[in-house]
Structure formats: structure tokens, C-alpha cells
Amino acid sequence: MSEPWAVIIGVGNEYRGDDGVGPAVAQRLETLGIPGVSVTVSDGEPTSLLEIWTGVELAVVVDAIRSEPAVAGRVRSIGVDVLPRPGAASSHSLGIQDALLLGRALGRLPGELVVIAVDVACLDSGVGLSEPVAAAVPLAAEAVLRELRRAAPTSRYRK
């Protein structure tokens, strides 16, 4: 099997309520078996993200975020140039911005990084997404697929 040209990373913890949205989207996309695309789940730890995305043309990260004002279930594509400071919006103590800083220092970034952010309602302990966030899973999955279609060379994925 050849190396993937793209990776989808569902960041989160399914045991913290809506923080499980990233893994839920990854699970949904994994069932599609997209050629040349690797799908994985991460807890968001920076060195783990570097291991996953190093050497790929495109990394699409799906993550739960806290925002003000909160609109639970809102799905947005956020460019890395507008990511908030480390720890400010991610539902994790260390986030994507921390991985970017480390990746730049070590020369371990993907060719392109896109973040699909889903606004959360609840990050309490427990399994299961809130209703608005669960309803956002197919929307976030479609946002990931749009990014793959946009970035794919003509000989790659074009569903």
C-alpha cells in the first residue's frame, strides 16, 4: 500500500461529552475507505499530531472548540493563520497551535493544514454528544470531504 497523500485526524476524547465530535467524524469517514487518505483519532497531544501529519500533502483536523458566543453544533473551516493562541479555544490543554509551533521548529508540518472546528455545548465527563453536536457530525464530515476534493490533484480522490 502506498503512503497516503492526505490524513484526516479526529481530535478529542469520547469520554468528555462533545469533545468526542472529532473521533465521531473520523469514524464516519473511515467507513468510506477513501483511497490515498488515512483516517485516525488523536487526543491532540502535539508530538502525536506531528507523527500523524508529517510528510502528507494535506492534513484535515476535526476538533471541538469553545467559542464566544457559543453556537453548539456550528461547523467552521478555520485556517491555521486565524487559530487562537495556544490553549484558548481548543477543548484540550494543549492544542493544534502548540503542534504547529513545534512542527515549524522541527520542520514537521504537512503541506497544508485545515481545521474543521465544531462548537461544543458540554465537555463534562460522560459518553455521548449533545443533540446539536451530534447533528453536526454529518456536516463536519461533508466539510472534510469538500477539503479533500478541493486539494486533491486530478489523479486523486474526486468523489
Side-chain angles (χ1 to χ4, degrees), residues 130-154:
S130 66
E131 190 174 313
V133 173
V137 169
L139 302 173
E142 183 53 41
V144 172
L145 294 173
R146 275 193 305 273
E147 291 298 331
L148 291 173
R149 285 190 294 268
R150 177 196 56 78
T154 52

Side-chain angles (χ1 to χ4, degrees), residues 24-143:
V25 172
Q27 182 180 21
R28 183 181 186 99
L29 293 168
E30 177 69 26
T31 65
L32 300 178
I34 305 166
V37 177
S38 173
V39 181
T40 191
V41 172
S42 171
D43 62 4
E45 195 278 320
T47 57
S48 169
L49 291 172
L50 294 185
E51 288 299 318
I52 296 167
W53 72 33
T54 296
V56 298
E57 295 173 37
L58 173 68
V60 182
V61 177
V62 182
D63 197 7
I65 64 164
R66 295 178 288 202
S67 61
E68 294 295 329
V71 181
R74 176 174 51 179
V75 176
R76 295 176 281 161
S77 178
I78 300 176
V80 295
D81 54 327
V82 296
L83 278 173
R85 67 175 174 72
S90 175
S91 60
H92 321 284
S93 57
L94 292 174
I96 298 163
Q97 190 65 278
D98 299 292
L100 281 170
L101 294 170
L102 183 59
R104 281 187 189 114
L106 298 175
R108 298 194 56 194
L109 293 175
E112 180 182 1
L113 174 65
V114 175
V115 178
I116 305 297
V118 181
D119 287 11
V120 298
C122 177
L123 296 173
D124 295 340
S125 294
V127 177
L129 303 174
S130 66
E131 190 174 313
V133 173
V137 169
L139 302 173
E142 183 53 41

